[in-house]
Amino acid sequence: MRKKTGLTLFMCSVAAIVLAGPAIRVKGTVVEAGTLTPIDFGDVLLYVKGETQPVSNTMPDMEGHFAFTNVKDGEYSLMIRALGFDIYTKAEIVLADTSELDLGTIELTMLEHGLAEVEVVAQKRQVVYRLDRRIVEASGSLLADGGTAVDILENTPSIRVDADGEVTFRGSSGFLVYVDGKPSVFSGSQALEQIPSGQIENIEIITTPSARHDTDGDVGIINIITRKHFKSGLSGMVNASASTVLSRNVDFLLTQQNAASSWHAGGAWTERLRRSHFDQDKTTLVDNMTTVSHSSGPRESNNFNYSLKAGYARSLASTSFNIDAEAGYGGRMRVGDLDYRETQTVTVGHEGLLTQETVEGDYFSRDYYHIDETYFQGTAGFDHSFAGKGHKLSGSFYLKYGGDALEYFESDLYDKANVRQQGHRAWEDEHRWTVRSSLDYVCPYSQTGRVEAGHQYYSYLEDGDYSMQFWHPERKEFYWRNDIYNTFYFQRGIHSLYALLADSYRAFDWQAGVRAEHTHRVLKSSREWANRTVNRMELFPSVHLGYTFPHEHRLMASFSYRTTRPALFYMEPYITYRDYYSAEIGNPDIRPEYIYVYELTYHKNIGEHSISATLFHRNRRDKIERLRVPYEAGVTLDSMANVGNDYSTGLELSSRLQPARWWNITLNGSYFHYRVENKLASAGGRNETSQNYELMLNNGLSAGRNTRIQLDGNFVGPSVTTQGRTSAFWYVNLSVRQQMLNRKLTGTLAFRDMFNSARYDSHIETSNLESSTRIRPFYPLVTLTLAYTFNNFKQKSAGGGEDHDLFEGTNH
């Protein structure tokens, strides 16, 4: 830790010394036309008159400012291109007598026209690379129509979606999800599945977050940018979709844009169903009893959300403020109806002789869980710019209440005569409060450099109780298990102070910062032995470097030190059941993970084509993993543990080609070597290595002015944990989009896994447990989506994506 902090300070010192260079020759500010909102992404290119290759290349900063230094006297032209905006060009720029030229405020116009008119321009930059993040255009995939943020993200290398819809990135599910820079109502994969794709503008993927961001999330932060840019007056959109597995979604968004103010209102009714056939063989050894079981049958899950939201924003001369509110009801449910066959063999020793007694049984296993929450959340924020100085002060306050939150589980085991033999019911009632506040200040110290500093506070509180009933076969009724009843209280508060220094010199950009966090955590329950109070003070440095070589070669390097703090369910010290044969328990002594992340990214635009490559290395200490051990005859127990360390080193490649105006090709691939060092021998795990790889080839075709076709193929390689492996699989998707009614109405038909080839196959093996699980998704899976816009609500372009979201049932 001290070494990393020292490295950060050293690099800052070197960069500050180098900074004392030549004066600025050309500068300006890039904003959005109409709203004058700063544009902090895209390329600003400077060309010598008559040349086709830029002599210098830079990017706007957070305030939209850009500058070129060390430019010789002469005649030049300027080009600015940013995702979602029309290209800006300015000719006849003359530099003489080493003077400084201020181009002032440059307004970029949104691409508000029909698809065919902007097709070529919009497709040039499906992904924008900035110093500390990647920005993915949300409308780039036809398959995402009617879907969610998950469908949009799956055109990103190293993204995987398992058989339960759980998203992992570079082999980890440890990412934070924000919506417009604020925490999502839900977390992780569930959060991504609750946000309709039609209301998403862009998605920021921040894999090495800087010191201004939260330190949680070992693979970084996914920030969903919702659609806000509209023409003056009243605009709106409505999206509706349905599928052959009965998934359905309806969402709408209305906005009124005035000269200095705007309001918006929207809502969503989403039920995202997933159906699969589940098949599992399991062998457990508990004391002298060996249980061999086979379960098979359908499983169905539903990730649902019903919500309404509204907001208001106003801009004054130097100050703007906004207020947003949202209320809703959402959660997840799963139903399983399985045939269950079990053979139990007991080994008995008597007078030196061993004998075995075998009992067999055929059953129906029915399990159901339902996790839901009624939530209310609100945000208020302001931005104040100090006249003529470039200084900016901003603040925000966020509050969320999750009331009547319930996690309900039930499972039953029936014989072939449909008589219940075993069963249980479990309730976990909760109330949840989340508070966030921030105060941030940006201070320019030169025409290209700035200092950022701020204080941020986060608090999460949850309290409730857990109760359980078991079936009494003789009395034919459920009875309460008072020995299992438990109350719990959890609160985590984090105070953060950060400072960040950023600047540029000619073609070199850099930023470095450090974040100090104090964490206070309280865990209490009826199990007094498990009560814990933790106070911890930590430092988290970050460094980002960028250099633009001649001919638009862009190289970026970054380092970030991160952590993953255990969630409450990791620590709950009591047993819960997901189904009749799967139980789990938390670990109150589990420790946070600490992660060192290094990245090196290369990006190059070649006319209308592009190529990018990212080399990354991640070292995670005290890795948290779900371990599975035998608990009772035929029942396994999952628990969370710090199993050791793991290492991921890999390469992500992405290229985009446009052989013809009507045809574009996207090829994404990733490969990483994964190694896990198991230091928890008692869990039956072991050291493992794997070569993880995947490949996606997407073809986007224009069949006329109003028709688009997308065909993609996907291959997902194998993966490992400390206890087992998951096999590779492949699938092919096809979708067609048709625009009608002067392009106000759009219909998309998507056919996923056309050849019914996707299979999820995992195997777990320890000294006393062997489990093989096979899952086959429902076939066919076809989705129809209709979208209607009015008053020229921003139209979507078309591109490529992928979707692994096919399975249900991996938490088996």
Side-chain angles (χ1 to χ4, degrees):
M1 176 66 191
R2 292 182 181 138
K3 292 180 180 179
K4 302 303 178 186
T5 305
L7 175 62
T8 302
L9 297 175
F10 172 75
M11 296 185 72
C12 289
S13 301
V14 172
I17 293 172
V18 174
L19 187 62
I24 291 174
R25 300 301 312 277
V26 182
K27 68 177 182 179
T29 303
V30 187
V31 300
E32 178 186 336
T35 67
L36 301 184
T37 303
I39 298 174
D40 62 348
F41 58 89
D43 291 324
V44 184
L45 308 168
L46 189 65
Y47 294 83
V48 174
K49 183 178 180 180
E51 298 292 332
T52 59
Q53 296 294 334
V55 67
S56 190
N57 183 4
T58 188
M59 294 185 295
D61 63 16
M62 293 179 60
E63 301 300 317
H65 303 314
F66 68 88
F68 293 102
T69 60
N70 266 37
V71 179
K72 298 178 181 179
D73 290 347
E75 296 184 44
Y76 297 87
S77 62
L78 183 80
M79 175 188 290
I80 302 176
R81 56 188 184 190
L83 183 69
F85 293 87
D86 202 355
I87 290 178
Y88 171 89
T89 59
K90 180 177 178 58
E92 298 183 0
I93 296 175
V94 179
L95 299 180
D97 301 326
T98 66
S99 60
E100 176 185 298
L101 177 62
D102 187 352
L103 298 178
T105 300
I106 299 172
E107 298 185 17
L108 299 191
T109 304
M110 295 288 294
L111 291 171
E112 297 283 358
H113 309 290
L115 174 63
E117 296 174 74
V118 300
E119 198 168 85
V120 175
V121 173
Q123 288 178 5
K124 285 184 180 178
R125 306 301 306 277
Q126 291 294 320
V127 179
V128 172
Y129 288 81
R130 289 192 58 204
L131 191 61
D132 60 349
R133 72 194 65 190
R134 278 177 282 177
I135 304 173
V136 179
E137 185 197 8
S139 59
S141 172
L142 273 65
L143 284 163
D145 285 2
T148 67
V150 173
D151 304 288
I152 298 170
L153 281 171
E154 285 177 348
N155 68 342
T156 304
S158 298
I159 286 283
R160 290 194 181 195
V161 180
D162 71 12
D164 245 353
E166 296 297 321
V167 177
T168 59
F169 181 41
R170 295 178 178 172
S172 173
S173 59
F175 54 84
L176 299 181
V177 178
Y178 288 172
V179 179
D180 294 325
K182 302 181 289 289
S184 171
V185 174
F186 302 98
S187 61
S189 303
Q190 186 180 5
L192 297 175
E193 285 201 332
Q194 300 287 12
I195 306 172
S197 62
Q199 296 191 10
I200 299 175
E201 184 80 25
N202 298 315
I203 298 181
E204 296 180 341
I205 302 174
I206 311 172
T207 52
T208 55
S210 67
R212 77 169 67 91
H213 297 292
D214 288 347
T215 56
D216 265 314
D218 67 295
V219 289
I221 297 170
I222 295 175
N223 185 29
I224 310 297
I225 307 299
T226 58
R227 300 180 71 178
K228 307 183 195 66
H229 303 292
F230 316 104
K231 298 190 71 173
S232 296
L234 182 66
S235 302
M237 59 177 289
V238 180
N239 300 292
S241 66
S243 77
T244 51
V245 296
L246 302 183
S247 285
R248 50 263 186 187
N249 172 79
V250 177
D251 64 84
F252 73 94
L253 184 61
L254 300 174
T255 182
Q256 174 71 41
Q257 181 70 51
N258 303 317
S261 65
S262 65
W263 62 261
H264 70 269
W269 180 76
T270 302
E271 294 187 358
R272 188 172 176 83
L273 276 69
R274 186 179 294 106
R275 292 179 178 176
S276 292
H277 181 82
F278 179 90
D279 188 87
Q280 183 181 73
D281 293 298
K282 184 190 296 184
T283 300
T284 60
L285 176 61
V286 179
D287 297 328
N288 62 339
M289 178 179 291
T290 301
T291 303
V292 179
S293 64
H294 177 256
S295 52
S296 179
R299 272 189 168 173
E300 177 182 310
S301 69
N302 183 7
N303 200 333
F304 58 90
N305 186 44
Y306 318 103
S307 63
L308 292 172
K309 63 180 181 181
Y312 176 79
R314 185 169 182 83
S315 298
L316 304 176
S318 58
T319 305
S320 64
F321 63 88
N322 65 279
I323 184 169
D324 298 274
E326 182 176 355
Y329 170 72
R332 303 185 67 168
M333 58 83 66
R334 190 187 75 186
V335 178
D337 193 354
L338 310 179
D339 290 322
Y340 181 75
R341 181 176 180 84
E342 181 180 85
T343 302
Q344 293 184 343
T345 302
V346 180
T347 303
V348 180
H350 180 67
E351 296 182 353
L353 298 177
L354 296 177
T355 60
Q356 291 185 332
E357 299 177 1
T358 299
V359 178
E360 296 184 349
D362 287 326
Y363 306 96
F364 295 121
S365 172
R366 295 170 183 166
D367 60 88
Y368 169 80
Y369 79 70
H370 193 280
I371 302 174
D372 61 85
E373 176 185 57
T374 301
Y375 60 89
F376 306 90
Q377 68 172 8
T379 303
F382 76 92
D383 290 286
H384 178 74
S385 298
F386 296 88
K389 297 181 180 180
H391 295 247
K392 181 179 178 181
L393 180 67
S394 59
S396 66
F397 180 79
Y398 167 87
L399 176 66
K400 179 208 166 187
Y401 172 65
D404 300 321
L406 176 66
E407 298 181 15
Y408 174 72
F409 299 79
E410 72 174 49
S411 64
D412 295 291
L413 202 63
Y414 296 87
D415 62 20
K416 292 300 182 179
N418 206 32
V419 176
R420 183 187 283 113
Q421 300 297 310
Q422 301 287 347
H424 82 267
R425 306 286 184 267
W427 294 263
E428 188 167 337
D429 293 285
E430 303 166 349
H431 294 273
R432 305 162 181 161
W433 288 91
T434 304
V435 177
R436 280 182 176 268
S437 64
S438 66
L439 188 64
D440 305 283
Y441 188 73
V442 178
C443 174
Y445 65 83
S446 72
Q447 296 195 32
T448 59
R450 70 183 188 277
V451 175
E452 299 180 33
H455 171 266
Q456 298 170 1
Y457 175 69
Y458 164 80
S459 175
Y460 177 78
L461 185 150
E462 180 175 326
D463 71 321
D465 62 2
Y466 180 79
S467 55
M468 197 167 183
Q469 289 182 335
F470 275 75
W471 177 253
H472 197 293
E474 287 76 25
R475 298 203 303 262
K476 306 296 183 183
E477 64 180 10
F478 285 96
Y479 65 96
W480 292 102
R481 286 282 302 271
N482 294 327
D483 60 316
I484 291 180
Y485 177 78
N486 190 79
T487 60
F488 58 88
Y489 172 89
F490 175 78
Q491 194 272 332
R492 174 184 284 139
I494 303 174
H495 284 276
S496 305
L497 290 172
Y498 77 90
L500 187 146
L501 189 66
D503 212 325
S504 62
Y505 172 68
R506 301 182 64 180
F508 177 60
D509 305 300
W510 63 272
Q511 68 175 27
V514 64
R515 186 181 183 94
E517 292 193 341
H518 178 267
T519 302
H520 175 73
R521 191 191 76 197
V522 177
L523 175 65
K524 296 181 180 179
S525 73
S526 300
R527 310 290 194 267
E528 294 186 1
W529 60 268
N531 292 350
R532 302 287 189 273
T533 299
V534 173
N535 286 284
R536 184 181 293 111
M537 185 71 184
E538 298 163 305
L539 293 177
F540 297 90
S542 67
V543 179
H544 295 78
L545 308 173
Y547 189 83
T548 303
F549 294 89
H551 309 300
E552 294 191 71
H553 296 273
R554 178 75 171 164
L555 190 65
M556 292 167 283
S558 58
F559 162 77
S560 184
Y561 180 55
R562 314 279 304 154
T563 187
T564 299
R565 297 179 175 92
L568 174 58
F569 72 89
Y570 287 8
M571 299 179 285
E572 293 171 335
Y574 47 87
I575 291 177
T576 61
Y577 282 78
R578 289 196 308 273
D579 52 49
Y580 173 70
Y581 36 81
S582 301
E584 59 185 17
I585 188 172
N587 176 3
D589 293 314
I590 198 165
R591 301 181 300 277
E593 299 175 333
Y594 293 98
I595 306 99
Y596 301 88
V597 184
Y598 307 83
E599 282 192 10
L600 182 65
T601 298
Y602 168 79
H603 182 73
K604 166 68 175 173
N605 292 320
I606 311 170
E608 296 181 0
H609 318 298
S610 67
I611 184 171
S612 63
T614 298
L615 180 67
F616 66 89
H617 175 75
R618 187 178 79 237
N619 172 208
R620 177 167 46 179
R621 305 294 177 91
D622 279 337
K623 169 181 165 60
I624 298 174
E625 189 169 297
R626 183 184 299 273
L627 299 180
R628 178 166 295 173
V629 297
Y631 177 55
E632 296 174 346
V635 180
T636 55
L637 178 67
D638 288 357
S639 63
M640 308 303 293
N642 298 102
V643 299
N645 304 330
D646 71 350
Y647 308 85
S648 299
T649 303
L651 179 67
E652 296 169 348
L653 295 172
S654 181
S655 61
R656 183 173 178 83
L657 307 174
Q658 190 151 359
R661 179 183 175 86
W662 50 269
W663 180 24
N664 66 79
I665 301 172
T666 301
L667 178 62
N668 289 333
S670 68
Y671 166 85
F672 67 92
H673 174 78
Y674 179 73
R675 176 168 61 93
V676 56
E677 294 179 350
N678 176 49
K679 297 183 177 181
L680 200 64
S682 60
R686 54 186 177 270
N687 296 338
E688 287 281 3
T689 62
S690 69
Q691 316 302 318
N692 299 267
Y693 47 90
E694 57 188 39
L695 188 67
M696 188 277 287
L697 176 64
N698 172 278
N699 288 273
L701 308 170
S702 295
R705 186 176 177 83
N706 298 315
T707 306
R708 292 282 296 172
I709 301 173
Q710 178 178 311
L711 176 67
D712 65 65
N714 304 266
F715 176 80
V716 182
S719 61
V720 302
T721 67
T722 59
Q723 291 190 316
R725 291 180 174 270
T726 300
S727 300
F729 62 93
W730 66 275
Y731 57 93
V732 175
N733 300 321
L734 174 67
S735 56
V736 179
R737 176 189 289 169
Q738 179 68 40
Q739 292 183 311
M740 299 160 282
L741 301 181
N742 197 26
R743 297 179 182 171
K744 293 183 180 295
L745 178 65
T746 301
T748 304
L749 189 66
F751 195 152
R752 304 174 188 267
D753 188 23
M754 291 177 57
F755 302 111
N756 195 23
S757 59
R759 298 290 185 272
Y760 176 85
D761 190 347
S762 71
H763 185 79
I764 295 175
E765 185 174 355
T766 67
S767 60
N768 49 15
L769 167 67
E770 184 173 358
S771 175
S772 295
T773 304
R774 297 160 296 277
I775 301 174
R776 184 180 72 251
F778 176 88
Y779 183 85
L781 178 53
V782 182
T783 303
L784 174 64
T785 302
L786 296 176
Y788 181 78
T789 65
F790 65 90
N791 193 20
N792 287 327
F793 199 97
K794 184 186 174 187
Q795 297 285 347
K796 304 175 82 174
S797 61
E802 58 176 311
D803 185 7
H804 308 325
D805 188 11
L806 302 166
F807 306 102
E808 158 55 34
T810 51
N811 288 336
H812 38 274

